[in-house]
Amino acid sequence: LSILTEHNETELVKSITRRGANIFKEKDGKLPIQIAISNSNLELTKFFVAQYRKKGKSLSDIKDKQGKDLLSLAKDPNKKAIIAYLEKEFSYEKAINETINKVKLNIQNQDTKALKELLNDIEEIDLRKARAKKSKISVLHFAIASGATDLVELILNKVKNIHVRDKNGISVLHL
């Protein structure tokens, strides 16, 4: 995968990645996404970002051996398009994380009204991320346990996967 990425073989990279090639396998200390950025390949950079997101990985967690993140790696006047794209993606990721933190806080405070207001503005909910830190329950577990049926309905209309389990292995279907 890394060799194909080095040679900008975009269609082959996409094809073998979709067939299960490991996007986390490094070559000479670099991940394929880092190689795509180094090569100024915007199309592959976008593709790898989408793949990382599908795997639930945060872009800010991807660093090279010196601790540079993806945006730092792209800091080159010849990579304006990649820099603009990554800045947008990092900004998006930051906004998502802030919203998730607000959801967690509302769960911890057992504030169903504030949670409803917040969730009305969210398109889709990933229950693996929308958990209260201390209790490790998802927002859906909380809504069901609190008996807030209108909140449960709101969440179910926006949830990615209802089969998420809490720290005790209990899914919402058990509740």
Side-chain angles (χ1 to χ4, degrees):
L1 183 63
S2 293
I3 292 169
L4 291 172
T5 303
E6 282 175 346
H7 293 283
N8 292 313
E9 294 289 346
T10 304
E11 293 311 312
L12 283 172
V13 167
K14 289 179 178 181
S15 178
I16 67 169
T17 301
R18 288 186 186 114
R19 288 180 173 81
N22 185 354
I23 62 171
F24 303 106
K25 186 170 171 123
E26 294 181 1
K27 180 182 181 279
D28 300 328
K30 284 187 169 182
L31 294 168
I33 191 170
Q34 294 166 321
I35 296 168
I37 292 168
S38 294
N39 287 352
S40 300
N41 189 324
L42 181 59
E43 185 177 353
L44 276 180
T45 299
K46 288 180 177 182
F47 175 76
F48 285 126
V49 165
Q51 296 305 306
Y52 276 92
R53 290 243 164 88
K54 282 182 188 175
K55 304 268 186 196
K57 300 294 181 187
S58 171
L59 297 181
S60 56
D61 292 338
I62 305 169
K63 305 217 186 306
D64 68 8
K65 300 273 186 211
Q66 289 78 36
K68 290 183 181 177
D69 66 12
L70 296 178
L71 197 51
S72 298
L73 185 64
K75 293 292 182 189
D76 177 335
N78 298 322
K79 297 178 182 167
K80 288 180 183 175
I82 288 181
I83 292 169
Y85 171 73
L86 288 175
E87 284 174 343
K88 182 184 81 146
E89 291 301 313
F90 272 85
S91 177
Y92 169 78
E93 194 172 88
K94 182 180 177 189
I96 293 292
N97 288 335
E98 287 172 0
T99 302
I100 288 169
N101 288 334
K102 288 177 186 175
V103 167
K104 290 175 182 179
L105 183 64
N106 287 323
I107 293 170
Q108 286 173 337
N109 294 336
Q110 299 185 357
D111 190 343
T112 56
K113 184 180 178 200
L115 195 52
K116 280 182 221 170
E117 289 172 13
L118 183 62
L119 293 178
N120 275 324
D121 295 332
I122 297 175
E123 261 181 57
E124 186 175 70
I125 300 169
D126 183 345
L127 292 177
R128 291 172 303 176
K129 294 181 180 176
R131 295 174 181 264
K133 255 189 178 154
K134 291 179 185 171
S135 63
K136 297 288 187 204
I137 65 167
S138 77
V139 65
L140 185 55
H141 284 84
F142 165 72
I144 291 170
S146 68
T149 54
D150 53 339
L151 183 56
V152 171
E153 186 176 340
L154 177 65
I155 294 167
L156 287 175
N157 287 328
K158 296 174 182 250
V159 76
K160 273 185 172 180
N161 174 7
I162 83 163
H163 301 290
V164 172
R165 297 175 181 272
D166 67 11
K167 70 175 183 174
N168 298 317
I170 297 172
S171 79
V172 294
L173 300 175
H174 290 108
L175 300 174

